[in-house]
Amino acid sequence: MNYDRSTVTPGIVHLGIGAFHRAHMAAYVDSLLKDNPSWGIIGASLRRPDTREALAPQDFLYTLAIRDASGTQPRIIGSILDVLDANTQRAQLIETMANPAIRIVSLTVTEKGYCHDPSTGELDETHPDIVHDLAHPDAPISAPGIIAAALDLRRRRGLIPFTVMSCDNLPSNGKTAGRIVRRFAELRGGGTNLTNYVQSVSFPSTMIDRIVPATTEADRKIINEIIGLDDAWPIMTEPFTQWVIEDAFPAGRPPFETVGAQLVDDVEPYELMKLRMLNGSHSTMAYLGYLAGYQYVSEAIADPEIHQLIQGLMTKEVMPTLPMPRATLEAYRDQLLARFANPALKHRTWQIAMDGTQKLPQRLLGTIRDRLEKGQGIQRLALGVAAWMRYVTGIDEAGQPIDVKDPMAARLRQIADGAGGDASRLAGDLAEVTEIFGTDLKMNATFAKEVTTHLASLFARGAAVTMAAVAERR
Ligand code: CS2
């Protein structure tokens, strides 16, 4: 920290103050506070009180540990001034968001926090949290509900709106956030005044990138030994970090460009590249790696077959769908393969496997659609989808249970139980889940054939043999 924390005042409220935010945006803001002390962050947890409980006794300071094969670099982050627990401090949170000093409300609430239909990106009006928030607009629990309540308060006070900056791994995350908040405000009532006010809110898109595994007890010990202090919740991450931001902040913004962020007019090409290359590979590796017995990404990518498969997935199937020059994509791919191999990051395949129903559309299915339209092959992408299908049966190759974390886990399990290991039936029934696959993919014969063939092989021969066969194909 190169600034006097007592001079820092809040300018940002961040919803979803998890490990990712604390490794990424909070670190950028920490770097700029010396010259711009009016941009401190007030964080909020929407679900659990644990971040507040861990950080309050240490005045919200924490260690960010940057790790690779050469060692661990600890850095103390001071940009988070307070953390509110939305469940018990809801009124205070909304009041804080309505403070005129707050010019940005940013979000990392994960894909499912948008309460949307992942295949269309529209608000899911039947989502229990949305139903709750429409019935109790002054006691909201969802991100769209909380944002709408705070915007309404600002409107009533004659203040300009804050800018809403999504930092989640969604395609056109700003557009998605905007669509959802606007629709929620329409449904919430408050008449044309609120609807018009929300129309004037800016929702810039961002591409955010840093690999941040969940902190473990072992990590805590390592960090506390290095720093010689008792940090209740340090964060572990990699040296790489990237942030591309659409420059649309009518209420003002910190000079993010002075601390390494890229401010651009159009984020979409960057988002597409990151979601399809990095996250598409991640999810594919997570399902196949987990099934093949690998606990961490670094172990999975050290398997020559998985390395070859992921390299082939990116080079042969993903890169041709992206608008960037080939040399840029090759360099990006090689950097990703090196990042995945970082042995100091204990990034669990199980962690990435979480919430597949929310992730598959933007990570694999968009690429698949683009290729099918052009009559191009999808064998590696389809293997990723088949591995997800095999994973959500909830039983691994040794017959042990898999702890499948997903908002749709119960429904997926029911479908899997109904199919009883019949690959063709399982693939067909899962492809009917339109929230993931839309209405087009289940009708596509190539998609059905590729996915079913892989799934049958995963059941009969296991992940290791199946991926070895695909890795070597041209
Ligand atoms: C990962 C991402 O957990 C996951 O699904 O794919 O969190 C990934 O580590 C980040 O997007 C990297 O920027």
Side-chain angles (χ1 to χ4, degrees):
M1 253 166 32
N2 59 354
Y3 53 91
D4 173 2
R5 213 164 164 241
S6 68
T7 63
V8 177
T9 55
I12 298 170
V13 167
H14 185 81
L15 305 181
I17 190 104
F20 181 76
H21 173 77
R22 292 168 57 199
H24 188 264
M25 181 171 163
Y28 284 87
V29 172
D30 186 75
S31 302
L32 57 75
L33 284 176
K34 179 171 182 285
D35 297 322
N36 310 274
S38 73
W39 287 104
I41 301 170
I42 307 281
S45 305
L46 303 196
R47 294 280 165 260
R48 289 184 306 267
D50 48 356
T51 306
R52 177 177 173 79
E53 283 165 6
L55 297 187
Q58 54 196 60
D59 203 14
F60 304 100
L61 292 166
Y62 62 93
T63 315
L64 180 61
I66 297 163
R67 311 193 74 197
D68 64 11
S70 70
T72 300
Q73 300 297 327
R75 168 177 170 193
I76 303 295
I77 303 289
S79 52
I80 297 176
L81 305 177
D82 197 357
V83 174
L84 302 175
D85 165 32
N87 281 318
T88 55
Q89 299 173 288
R90 181 167 297 114
Q92 190 184 340
L93 170 60
I94 293 170
E95 188 57 47
T96 305
M97 291 164 76
N99 179 334
I102 300 300
R103 287 147 286 168
I104 296 176
V105 168
S106 49
L107 294 100
T108 47
V109 291
T110 80
E111 297 87 345
K112 62 178 178 279
Y114 290 76
C115 308
H116 70 319
D117 177 330
S119 78
T120 62
E122 300 289 340
L123 182 72
D124 173 3
E125 296 174 20
T126 65
H127 191 292
D129 294 358
I130 297 301
V131 172
H132 172 277
D133 288 1
L134 290 173
H136 307 98
D138 296 326
I141 54 175
S142 72
I146 291 170
I147 292 170
L151 286 170
D152 196 38
L153 195 54
R154 288 179 84 107
R155 176 189 68 80
R156 285 188 268 127
R157 292 188 180 160
L159 300 170
I160 60 161
F162 44 68
T163 296
V164 178
M165 175 168 62
S166 166
C167 297
D168 281 293
N169 274 322
L170 292 166
S172 312
N173 55 9
K175 285 202 186 99
T176 303
R179 199 180 316 111
I180 276 151
V181 172
R182 282 194 289 270
R183 179 69 186 140
F184 181 87
E186 254 169 50
L187 295 169
R188 181 183 186 265
T192 48
N193 287 339
L194 178 61
T195 317
N196 288 344
Y197 187 78
V198 174
Q199 284 296 342
S200 70
V201 177
S202 180
F203 291 89
S205 281
T206 63
M207 182 271 249
I208 39 112
D209 188 9
R210 190 163 223 186
I211 295 176
V212 191
T215 306
T216 63
E217 210 34 64
D219 295 334
R220 221 167 254 138
K221 279 215 186 86
I222 295 173
I223 298 312
N224 289 347
E225 257 164 43
I226 295 178
I227 62 172
L229 288 167
D230 215 9
D231 185 339
W233 204 334
I235 303 290
M236 322 297 275
T237 192
E238 61 175 338
F240 182 90
T241 180
Q242 188 178 14
W243 197 10
V244 187
I245 308 171
E246 183 187 349
D247 199 359
F249 293 81
R253 63 163 173 84
F256 290 126
E257 67 280 10
T258 61
V259 289
Q262 295 159 260
L263 276 296
V264 302
D265 291 334
D266 184 9
V267 176
E268 265 172 52
Y270 297 92
E271 279 186 317
L272 206 61
M273 175 174 82
K274 193 252 169 177
L275 286 167
R276 291 185 174 189
M277 298 278 280
L278 188 160
N279 299 111
S281 299
H282 246 179
S283 289
T284 303
M285 257 188 301
Y287 299 118
L288 285 168
Y290 185 97
L291 293 169
Y294 294 118
Q295 198 182 353
Y296 301 118
V297 171
S298 56
E299 288 171 3
I301 200 73
D303 175 329
E305 308 285 8
I306 298 193
H307 193 280
Q308 195 177 344
L309 176 76
I310 295 300
Q311 182 159 26
L313 176 93
M314 290 198 270
T315 313
K316 297 188 173 133
E317 298 188 16
V318 181
M319 282 162 47
T321 71
L322 297 171
M324 272 79 172
R326 177 98 188 166
T328 308
L329 293 169
E330 281 172 355
Y332 186 67
R333 173 201 61 201
D334 294 345
Q335 191 181 34
L336 286 179
L337 289 167
R339 289 170 64 196
F340 295 153
N342 184 342
L345 279 191
K346 300 285 178 228
H347 201 193
R348 285 169 157 236
T349 48
W350 175 82
Q351 186 186 343
I352 301 168
M354 246 181 252
D355 293 345
T357 58
Q358 314 291 306
K359 294 174 175 173
L360 249 43
Q362 58 274 15
R363 295 181 176 207
L364 294 173
L365 304 181
T367 320
I368 287 179
R369 282 193 178 91
D370 284 357
R371 293 185 65 81
L372 287 174
E373 212 166 276
K374 296 201 174 111
Q376 296 165 337
I378 56 163
Q379 47 177 310
R380 294 171 184 83
L381 294 156
L383 176 57
V385 176
W388 169 77
M389 292 178 166
R390 174 68 189 81
Y391 181 88
V392 300
T393 64
I395 307 286
D396 74 10
E397 294 183 358
Q400 297 302 311
I402 304 174
D403 183 10
V404 177
K405 293 272 190 241
D406 193 289
M408 294 171 73
R411 185 164 155 207
L412 299 173
R413 183 62 190 263
Q414 203 180 10
I415 294 174
D417 288 349
D422 175 338
S424 157
R425 181 153 169 219
L426 181 57
D429 290 353
L430 285 172
E432 303 242 329
V433 181
T434 52
E435 293 94 321
I436 314 166
F437 295 99
T439 49
D440 56 331
L441 283 176
K442 72 165 196 278
M443 313 291 290
N444 187 290
T446 311
F447 180 74
K449 181 175 150 275
E450 290 280 359
V451 171
T452 307
T453 309
H454 289 316
L455 187 55
S457 172
L458 288 170
F459 276 128
R461 305 190 291 164
V465 175
T466 303
M467 68 195 170
V470 177
E472 275 143 32
R473 280 196 234 160
R474 296 170 57 81

